[in-house]
Amino acid sequence: MNDTFVSSAALDQSVIVPVSHFNENGRVHEGFGEMIGQSRTWRQIIEKIKIVAPTDATVLILGETGTGKELIAQELHRHSRRRYKPLIRVNCACTPKELYESEFFGHAKGAFTGAVRDRVGRFEAAAGGTLFLDEIGEIPLELQSKLLRVLQEKCYERVGEERTRRVDVRIIAATNRDLKKEVAAGRFREDLYYRLNVVPVKVAPLRDHKEDISLLAAHFVDVAVKQLGCAKPRLTPAGIDALLAYDWPGNVRELRNAIERACIIAQGGALEFDFPVSSAPMEVNSFGPKPGHVAKLEFLTDAEFRRRERENLFIVLQKTRWKIKGADGAAELLGIKPTTLISRIESMGLMRPLETSRLAA
């Protein structure tokens, strides 16, 4: 029997199925859905999932937007004893204030204007399974006590109904806010915070585990080709270097979007990326010796810099036997467009050695 997850549109029983399974080496591996990586950070999260998932402990997932908090919630559910029951997601940031109670607990027909029939709430829809409260920090303060009561007493009433209903769900919450600061500022109940923060899982931003980028990029290329129906492009070393040089403020979600966009533009060729340059001022010691070292800083004159650039370009051309375009061509290795490379060759006065020309012929 295949594991399935019910999405935020859960009441219409839409299904999310894990796409692929990888281990830390990027090879096929049954177990962790779309969670892909090889970093120490990634392995620590996987180990915590293995330990916590079989229990019914409440989990609070903390991390910036786009770090993959929902994927962690899916894997916690998929490795739990509740995996054959629904995983219901509620985006607390997208629920209108006046509809929170109805969204969570449901309502009876006639409870308010527009309530033309009974409605099942998210707690009831998740019966026996897992309720994922995404962006938990967005719940209005005046409604947090109602949520706390359900978590503590395991019971609730539908809006407009006196009957008390029992509930059996596992709670997983997530937020990009610092809930300790929210508590200190009076915007989040302290008792609710401690009730949710039984097992915290902190998700690092992508800039702190860049060693996972190459695996993620390769996976997202495969996903894009399948979903968009485009020709499979080439992810080159120059492309990977460009991905590693960027800080990814939007985290894994931004990486996926960048890969999809590049796949469409590449049309089966090499993936090219053009990221904005960071506006942060460069530190004086960024490229210099570390503190405590007294090595003399070296520099190149403009003429020396141009000589080295010319030598480097000549080495690449020799390596590719003066192949300019296409896979493993000099332009691809350098991460520039073929037209740009041809222009540089002409401006530097580089000429193909006669013996190389004869061999190539």
Side-chain angles (χ1 to χ4, degrees):
M1 182 174 181
N2 293 329
D3 300 344
T4 58
F5 308 112
V6 182
S7 72
S8 58
L11 299 186
D12 63 7
Q13 297 300 303
S14 58
V15 175
I16 302 173
V17 182
V19 176
S20 54
H21 309 272
F22 287 76
N23 66 10
E24 63 271 19
N25 296 316
R27 299 191 181 96
V28 176
H29 174 71
E30 292 296 327
F32 293 102
E34 292 183 82
M35 290 186 63
I36 300 166
Q38 59 187 354
S39 65
R40 179 182 179 186
T41 296
W42 182 87
R43 291 194 297 269
Q44 287 174 340
I45 290 178
I46 296 303
E47 287 305 312
K48 181 163 280 191
I49 289 175
K50 290 179 180 179
I51 294 171
V52 177
T55 75
D56 270 349
T58 300
V59 179
L60 179 61
I61 308 172
L62 306 164
E64 295 179 7
T65 298
T67 50
K69 297 187 291 295
E70 186 170 358
L71 288 179
I72 293 174
Q74 289 177 357
E75 294 311 312
L76 284 166
H77 174 75
R78 199 164 73 90
H79 288 80
S80 74
R81 66 179 180 82
R82 299 173 180 269
R83 59 186 173 275
Y84 300 121
K85 296 292 184 177
L87 166 62
I88 303 297
R89 177 179 180 263
V90 180
N91 189 327
C92 301
C94 296
T95 305
K97 181 178 178 180
E98 61 275 10
L99 295 180
Y100 263 98
E101 287 190 74
S102 175
E103 181 74 13
F104 282 122
F105 313 129
H107 63 252
K109 179 180 178 180
F112 50 83
T113 303
V116 296
R117 59 183 176 83
D118 289 351
R119 182 184 187 279
V120 173
R122 301 296 186 178
F123 273 93
E124 191 170 347
T130 303
L131 183 61
F132 176 43
L133 303 177
D134 199 7
E135 304 299 348
I136 189 72
E138 305 300 325
I139 295 181
L141 183 62
E142 60 270 25
L143 297 174
Q144 293 174 17
S145 60
K146 297 180 182 295
L147 177 60
L148 178 63
R149 181 218 170 191
V150 181
L151 299 184
Q152 290 180 333
E153 300 178 11
K154 308 294 184 184
C155 62
Y156 67 95
E157 293 83 34
R158 287 182 179 178
V159 177
E161 190 177 80
E162 295 183 357
R163 173 189 169 189
T164 298
R165 299 171 183 264
R166 300 290 299 175
V167 62
D168 172 28
V169 298
R170 196 244 184 104
I171 300 295
I172 300 174
T175 182
N176 59 6
R177 293 193 178 194
D178 186 331
L179 290 188
K180 286 186 178 180
K181 290 183 178 179
E182 294 296 299
V183 169
R187 292 188 293 266
F188 201 84
R189 291 181 62 109
E190 186 175 26
D191 46 5
L192 178 57
Y193 168 68
Y194 286 119
R195 183 65 187 80
L196 293 169
N197 194 40
V198 177
V199 180
V201 176
K202 294 184 179 180
V203 190
L206 185 56
R207 61 183 173 274
D208 289 346
H209 57 105
K210 287 190 174 183
E211 57 267 50
D212 292 331
I213 286 179
S214 58
L215 290 180
L216 287 166
H219 171 64
F220 290 147
V221 167
D222 290 339
V223 172
V225 168
K226 181 178 180 180
Q227 294 183 349
L228 303 176
C230 58
K232 186 168 183 176
R234 298 189 304 280
L235 185 57
T236 66
I240 292 295
D241 287 343
L243 297 178
L244 293 174
Y246 185 56
D247 274 344
W248 301 106
N251 294 296
V252 179
R253 182 180 295 133
E254 184 183 8
L255 172 62
R256 179 168 184 169
N257 291 342
I259 293 294
E260 289 184 358
R261 182 168 59 251
C263 285
I264 294 171
I265 296 173
Q267 297 184 332
L271 291 175
E272 295 183 359
F273 304 98
D274 184 18
F275 300 115
V277 178
S278 174
S279 59
M282 185 176 65
E283 295 182 10
V284 174
N285 291 327
S286 294
F287 302 102
K290 303 301 181 186
H293 288 250
V294 293
K296 182 180 177 181
L297 290 174
E298 297 292 342
F299 65 90
L300 299 177
T301 64
D302 184 65
E304 179 68 11
F305 179 81
R306 291 181 182 279
R307 185 182 68 79
R308 291 198 183 182
E309 184 181 20
R310 190 174 187 274
E311 289 175 351
N312 181 69
L313 181 53
F314 188 77
I315 290 171
V316 174
L317 290 169
Q318 289 286 84
K319 177 181 177 66
T320 60
R321 300 178 65 81
W322 286 73
K323 179 182 178 182
I324 305 296
K325 304 176 182 179
D328 299 321
E332 184 172 291
L333 292 180
L334 290 168
I336 60 177
K337 295 180 179 179
T339 53
T340 302
L341 176 56
I342 292 171
S343 177
R344 289 184 185 178
I345 292 173
E346 292 175 350
S347 66
M348 292 180 182
L350 291 174
M351 296 184 65
R352 186 173 184 175
L354 182 60
E355 60 274 19
T356 306
S357 302
R358 289 172 178 169
L359 287 173

